[in-house]
Amino acid sequence: MARVASTPDESLGFPAAFLHAGTRSVLASLWPVDDLASAFLVGRFYREMAGGAKSPACALRDAQRWLRTVTVGELMALLREAKDLPPPAGPLAAATRSALRKDAADHRPYAAPWFWAAFIVCGKE
């Protein structure tokens, strides 16, 4: 856990600032990340957290494992479910489907660590 009480002001980042403000934990990235991969990962992270049975770290691990193994076919099915959601989700789902359509259904577009390894959970479990 970050020790924000003794951290000099110039080194405070967003995670430390949120923890200092009282949040229990923060999902953050260590480097700039792909928007679409991040949207899928964060959506899965929150689904893993639903119900409160998992810690944030366990939910992140499971979301990262899912993202690196999910296929284009599985993502297309997920996006079909989102097509009727209000903007921006519905139009975003349509744009994402057209971007993924070029790949084979069994292709794993986010298998490379660059897409999922940047994420960490800071704070209390």
Side-chain angles (χ1 to χ4, degrees):
M1 171 154 142
R3 297 204 190 308
V4 294
S6 62
T7 306
D9 287 342
E10 62 271 7
S11 67
L12 279 177
F14 277 122
F18 278 102
L19 292 169
H20 184 68
T23 60
R24 291 183 47 91
S25 59
V26 177
L27 177 64
S29 67
L30 297 172
W31 58 78
V33 291
D34 179 80
D35 290 340
L36 191 52
S38 299
F40 284 127
L41 184 124
V42 171
R44 184 62 179 226
F45 171 77
Y46 282 112
R47 280 191 291 284
E48 295 288 341
M49 288 286 297
K54 292 184 181 179
S55 70
C58 288
L60 176 60
R61 179 201 60 216
D62 292 346
Q64 288 171 316
R65 186 177 295 146
W66 172 82
L67 186 65
R68 72 176 189 245
T69 61
V70 71
T71 65
V72 168
E74 293 166 334
L75 290 172
M76 295 293 271
L78 183 68
L79 292 169
R80 277 191 293 277
E81 294 171 14
K83 73 177 171 63
D84 295 326
L85 293 175
L92 178 62
T96 303
R97 278 195 312 275
S98 65
L100 290 173
R101 202 167 276 134
K102 67 183 182 323
D103 293 323
D106 63 345
H107 175 69
R108 290 177 163 69
Y110 302 117
W114 182 82
F115 292 108
W116 50 265
F119 294 90
I120 59 170
V121 172
C122 304
K124 301 174 186 166
E125 288 295 316

